[in-house]
Amino acid sequence: MLIFRGLSSKYALGIASILLGTMGLVLALAGYFVFEGTQALRAELTQSFSSIQSAHDVEALRTSGSYLGDRLFDPLYRLDVSALNEEIERIQAWLAPRSVLILDAEGRVITDGSLENPQYGRRYPIPKAAAPGEVAIEETPTGRLVHLPIGYAGMISGYARIALSDARTQAFVASLHAKVEAAWQGFVERFLAIALISILVALAASLLFGIRLSRSVSRPLRDMNRVVAHYAAGNLEHKLPEGPEDELGRLARSLNQMAVEHERARAQLMQLANYDSLTCLPNRNLFYDRLGQAIKKARREARGIALFFVDLDRFKEINDALGHDIGDILLGRVAHRLSRLVRETDTLARMGGDEFTLIVEDLVDEEAPRIIAQKLLDALAEPFALDERQLYVSASIGIALYPRDADSLDSLIKHADSAMYAAKASGRGGFRFFTQELQEQAHERLSLEHDLRRAIERGEFALYFQPLVRAEDGRVVALEALLRWNLDGAPCAPDRFIPVLEETGLIARLTDWALRESLSALTALEREGFGALRVCVNLSARQLQQANLLDLVDRVLVEFGMPPERLELEMTESSLLDDQLCQSNATQLTARGIRLAIDDFGTGYSSLTYLKRFDADALKIDCSFVRDMLVDPGDAQIVTTVLALAAGLGIESVAEGVESEEQGERLRSLGCDLLQGYLICRPLPLTELIDWMRRRAFGSAAEAG
Ligand code: C2E
Ligand code: MG
Ligand code: MG
């Protein structure tokens, strides 16, 4: 039984069939050979026994022939029949022959041993060659016929004719045969008994093997079935006993292995699905999940939560300037620094890009988030040593509190987000708590966005044109196209709606239209006889980033048959700083001969490098400097410096927002090339501008006249 238990299912089956097969074969072979062998042996045995017997009789006759002859000689010589009969009786007792006859020398019967002697005188043929003492044996169908010559020294007096009978031999052989048969029968019975026992043993062994097999095969299969059902249900903890090194053992091992692999894959999937690969922080998914849990828990335990939205300032510039690899490393370092500040119970997550979130649970007062926000900002204040340079990073943080600001996940997130935008808007590198006012602003912004989308679909925008005149003689040389939109019947300030168009990217949908409107205005003015003016179209960073911008500009210029130098594109320094695509588009536009003006110069970086790099054609001094240049010496200084700079670089200078004659006079004396402002003309719809131009042309003509 121990062997059976040790046997694997594979070998059990194999051994059982081999054992049964061998046993059957051995039995069949043994039976065949035994039957075959004994069949011949039985006949041979009887045969040899009978031959031995007759040989023995003949030999006895041969050896005792002369003695018998001597004994018969005397009574024959004396023709003493009774003595002869006595001898015949002796011979009969000795050899039990069929008949014994005493013949005379001519072969006539003297006596047959009986008193009646019926054969007396009957003549029998006698063998010729025999001499006294020699026995002549002749085989006849009824047995052997033995002639024993009786005589003395070559003289034959007669013969003893002995007809030997096979009866005795046959009786002996018959009894021998019976004994052999009995022995054979015994052997057959024993053989059959052994065969039967062997078959029973084989059956029992097969039964045992069968049980063993069913145990070793069906039980593991049942187990596997059960475990596979668990696996299918996603429960991978169940493991199979691995058992011996056979197919089932291997299958069990494979299933276990499969479960391990599956578990590993699931863990990887979980990692991928829930963690950010760059920073190893929880990702957006896990963040939502954790925040949901935190809100439930806080609701149950009547505790507070603070949600922080942390957005790096100007990260895009780092990415663009130093490449995404450095950007990625920096994000990793930032994540590392921030994660050192948070408790294990808090969740710091990366929402994507340069935006991180922090969930702080079990909040007791509102002072704690303030301290945490400051700690986060302080942690980033230290420069990051990267690629042999020191990188300075700041962040803007928005904070929303549960349940004070919101009691649902979505609104808490939205509020933290708008607080973050407010922090950014109020100068970056700081933090802002969410307030009701912020929410109102956000609402307003949202409804404005909605209105703007509708306005785009309905084509509700208009372009107004404001002339730019030469400072020295007041001649109109260009027009600036300015976007106008009416909200609820009243004009909406561009400063209010244009930033929303820019942030939402909607402004890109106006580029094509603005270019066409502007060029068609030029065509109209030319048709009216105002000469080849130039049009200045404002482009925001979003528009400058448009991948199809160059195609668009090319197509519109061709369509209106306009030389490129009659189109001037105004862009702010920050849009050029912001993005590589903006920069390459700007470079390609100037390469085509399209004029480039740097708008609002002085409010941004006022980078001289950019002025040179983009080969700007015009510099527009921002309204704010012009407005106060007569009262504020600082602004006056800036205006003076910028004008000198433009003159030095050979770039045309434009002063925006010129409202008074004094301003115009001062700018002219400082060498400003072009003037733009209410002093000359407000931005007007094209038809009104044409009227204004006509009036102005008429006025000049009258003056000249
Ligand atoms: P900007 O390009 O600097 O445009 C000049 C602004 O100064 C215009 O404001 C114009 O109306 C105003 N302005 C002109 N003369 C005077 C003046 O004598 N006094 C004062 N106080 N202001 C004067 P507006 O039209 O409100 O546009 C504001 C800004 O919106 C523009 O500044 C420009 O950056 C942007 N913008 C306007 N139209 C478009 C447009 O079609 N596309 C894009 N992307 N931006 C536009
Ligand atoms: Mg402008
Ligand atoms: Mg401007």
Side-chain angles (χ1 to χ4, degrees):
M1 217 41 202
L2 212 73
I3 307 168
F4 295 144
R5 213 168 296 141
L7 276 176
S8 70
S9 51
K10 174 188 165 190
Y11 298 121
L13 190 63
I15 289 175
S17 26
I18 289 173
L19 214 68
L20 271 173
T22 320
M23 211 176 262
L25 194 73
V26 166
L27 274 173
L29 278 176
Y32 173 75
F33 285 123
V34 166
F35 277 96
E36 195 61 11
T38 51
Q39 199 73 15
L41 193 72
R42 271 151 64 208
E44 236 171 64
L45 203 67
T46 323
Q47 183 66 37
S48 23
F49 267 103
S50 77
S51 350
I52 288 167
Q53 184 62 33
S54 38
H56 175 77
D57 291 353
V58 171
E59 198 52 38
L61 274 171
R62 262 192 229 286
T63 49
S64 47
S66 65
Y67 166 73
L68 213 58
D70 285 351
R71 283 191 66 104
L72 288 168
F73 180 71
D74 196 44
L76 181 65
Y77 188 72
R78 284 185 286 114
L79 277 175
D80 183 350
V81 171
S82 59
L84 282 171
N85 282 355
E86 273 173 36
E87 288 302 325
I88 286 174
E89 247 173 73
R90 247 180 233 121
I91 291 170
Q92 276 173 335
W94 174 41
L95 286 175
R98 200 152 26 86
S99 67
V100 181
L101 299 175
I102 304 295
L103 309 177
D104 64 12
E106 270 78 42
R108 278 185 298 267
V109 175
I110 298 171
T111 177
D112 62 359
S114 66
L115 285 177
E116 296 84 23
N117 201 10
Q119 291 199 64
Y120 182 77
R122 189 173 158 189
R123 197 173 177 148
Y124 282 95
I126 46 169
K128 287 182 185 105
E134 285 174 16
V135 179
I137 300 166
E138 189 188 334
E139 292 287 342
T140 68
T142 51
R144 266 170 304 231
L145 190 59
V146 179
H147 283 91
L148 176 70
I150 306 163
Y152 188 70
M155 251 275 295
I156 291 174
S157 317
Y159 296 90
R161 186 182 190 273
I162 306 166
L164 283 174
S165 147
D166 279 343
R168 209 166 67 127
T169 311
Q170 274 165 6
F172 177 74
V173 167
S175 103
L176 189 71
H177 180 75
K179 277 182 188 153
V180 167
E181 282 303 314
W184 169 244
Q185 199 55 41
F187 168 77
V188 166
E189 276 163 14
R190 270 197 301 278
F191 183 83
L192 283 177
I194 288 172
L196 194 70
I197 289 168
S198 306
I199 287 168
L200 285 176
V201 167
L203 273 175
S206 320
L207 202 70
L208 280 175
F209 279 126
I211 292 168
R212 161 76 198 150
L213 263 182
S214 82
R215 287 233 178 112
S216 59
V217 175
S218 68
R219 189 180 296 165
L221 282 178
R222 240 192 347 263
D223 286 349
M224 280 177 203
N225 205 13
R226 184 172 45 78
V227 166
V228 166
H230 279 296
Y231 290 174
N235 185 353
L236 298 174
E237 276 136 41
H238 293 259
K239 292 278 171 319
L240 284 165
E242 298 200 342
E245 238 325 302
D246 58 3
E247 288 86 346
L248 285 172
R250 277 199 291 276
L251 190 61
R253 257 184 290 279
S254 302
L255 275 173
N256 286 347
Q257 186 65 23
M258 190 187 85
V260 169
E261 296 289 332
H262 201 72
E263 230 166 351
R264 196 176 300 145
R266 194 155 71 175
Q268 274 173 354
L269 216 70
M270 288 290 279
Q271 178 75 21
L272 278 177
N274 291 318
Y275 290 87
D276 169 49
S277 57
L278 184 65
T279 58
C280 300
L281 291 178
N283 63 11
R284 180 181 286 269
N285 285 344
L286 192 55
F287 161 75
Y288 274 95
D289 191 56
R290 296 254 177 103
L291 185 60
Q293 300 294 337
I295 289 176
K296 272 187 209 154
K297 188 171 155 237
R299 199 171 286 152
R300 244 187 350 258
E301 297 171 4
R303 309 292 285 263
I305 301 171
L307 175 61
F308 296 73
F309 259 54
V310 182
D311 193 277
L312 301 187
D313 299 326
R314 300 191 182 283
F315 178 72
K316 202 170 163 357
E317 285 163 29
I318 294 175
N319 239 354
D320 288 343
L322 305 178
H324 286 256
D325 290 346
I326 297 288
D328 285 354
I329 297 173
L330 183 64
L331 284 175
R333 298 270 186 90
V334 166
H336 182 67
R337 269 197 205 174
L338 296 182
S339 57
R340 277 195 315 205
L341 296 178
V342 302
R343 297 174 306 176
E344 241 172 53
T345 47
D346 302 337
T347 298
L348 176 69
R350 182 176 172 221
M351 295 295 273
D354 57 352
E355 200 171 77
F356 297 87
T357 50
L358 173 64
I359 307 166
V360 175
E361 295 183 58
D362 301 328
L363 210 64
V364 277
D365 55 27
E366 287 181 18
E367 191 51 26
R370 197 180 297 278
I371 296 169
I372 294 171
Q374 195 52 56
K375 269 195 195 165
L376 294 175
L377 292 177
D378 292 347
L380 298 179
E382 281 282 302
F384 289 84
L386 251 178
D387 201 21
E388 290 173 1
R389 31 179 138 214
Q390 303 281 64
L391 289 181
Y392 287 86
V393 172
S394 70
S396 301
I397 302 177
I399 309 161
L401 304 178
Y402 170 92
R404 193 197 72 178
D405 299 333
D407 63 354
S408 76
L409 185 138
D410 285 337
S411 45
L412 196 63
I413 291 174
K414 213 170 65 195
H415 292 351
D417 194 38
S418 45
M420 189 271 288
Y421 273 107
K424 268 213 193 298
S426 58
R428 305 172 195 254
F431 63 88
R432 277 283 292 268
F433 278 89
F434 172 78
T435 58
Q436 219 45 50
E437 193 194 338
L438 271 183
Q439 188 174 21
E440 277 152 26
Q441 280 172 14
H443 267 139
E444 200 195 292
R445 193 189 166 282
L446 213 69
S447 87
L448 191 61
E449 187 185 326
H450 172 78
D451 292 337
L452 284 168
R453 283 185 193 278
R454 207 182 42 198
I456 287 179
E457 275 157 29
R458 297 184 182 171
E460 287 174 1
F461 293 95
L463 273 189
Y464 277 33
F465 296 92
Q466 188 179 31
L468 279 76
V469 298
R470 257 210 314 248
E472 54 184 36
D473 57 10
R475 242 187 81 188
V476 177
V477 291
L479 310 164
E480 178 171 5
L482 294 160
L483 196 58
R484 293 292 177 265
W485 176 56
N486 284 352
L487 177 61
D488 303 325
C492 181
D495 287 345
R496 202 180 140 210
F497 75 85
I498 290 180
V500 179
L501 283 178
E502 284 175 355
E503 280 162 29
T504 51
L506 289 170
I507 191 115
R509 288 164 63 179
L510 296 176
T511 315
D512 189 32
W513 167 82
L515 285 169
R516 281 169 194 282
E517 285 288 294
S518 304
L519 293 187
S520 107
L522 281 194
T523 317
L525 286 167
E526 205 171 350
R527 223 185 298 125
E528 293 291 326
F530 297 113
L533 300 178
R534 185 167 86 215
V535 71
C536 310
V537 179
N538 289 286
L539 281 190
S540 71
R542 284 296 190 116
Q543 290 172 290
L544 206 48
Q545 273 171 6
Q546 269 178 265
N548 64 345
L549 180 70
L550 298 171
D551 286 348
L552 220 89
V553 172
D554 289 344
R555 230 173 334 110
V556 175
L557 284 176
V558 170
E559 191 182 321
F560 287 90
M562 205 59 81
E565 64 276 7
R566 288 184 65 190
L567 177 64
E568 185 168 287
L569 297 174
E570 293 189 8
M571 40 201 85
T572 58
E573 280 175 295
S574 55
S575 65
L576 287 174
L577 263 177
D578 265 357
D579 191 84
Q580 255 166 354
L581 187 60
C582 286
Q583 293 178 11
S584 81
N585 274 347
T587 316
Q588 300 220 37
L589 287 168
T590 48
R592 279 166 162 74
I594 292 160
R595 287 173 59 97
L596 187 82
I598 309 281
D599 205 352
D600 304 341
F601 193 79
T603 56
Y605 291 85
S606 307
S607 159
L608 302 182
T609 324
Y610 277 88
L611 275 185
K612 199 82 215 107
R613 186 185 310 166
F614 294 107
D615 201 11
D617 297 285
L619 251 187
K620 299 190 80 172
I621 305 169
D622 192 59
C623 297
S624 55
F625 304 115
V626 176
R627 188 181 58 222
D628 296 331
M629 62 181 284
L630 297 177
V631 287
D632 184 335
D635 285 347
Q637 193 56 52
I638 289 174
V639 173
T640 315
T641 314
V642 172
L643 288 174
L645 176 77
L649 289 171
I651 298 173
E652 190 173 56
S653 53
V654 186
E656 290 182 323
V658 186
E659 293 185 358
S660 65
E661 285 291 355
E662 292 80 11
Q663 287 168 343
E665 202 47 54
R666 174 66 70 84
L667 286 162
R668 206 172 291 128
S669 69
L670 286 172
C672 182
D673 297 316
L674 303 180
L675 305 178
Q676 177 186 1
Y678 299 161
L679 173 68
I680 300 122
C681 180
R682 284 182 174 268
L684 296 171
L686 182 63
T687 46
E688 288 179 36
L689 182 82
I690 290 173
D691 289 344
W692 179 83
M693 297 271 279
R694 279 201 196 115
R695 280 199 306 276
R696 194 176 163 85
F698 182 73
S700 318
E703 233 169 70

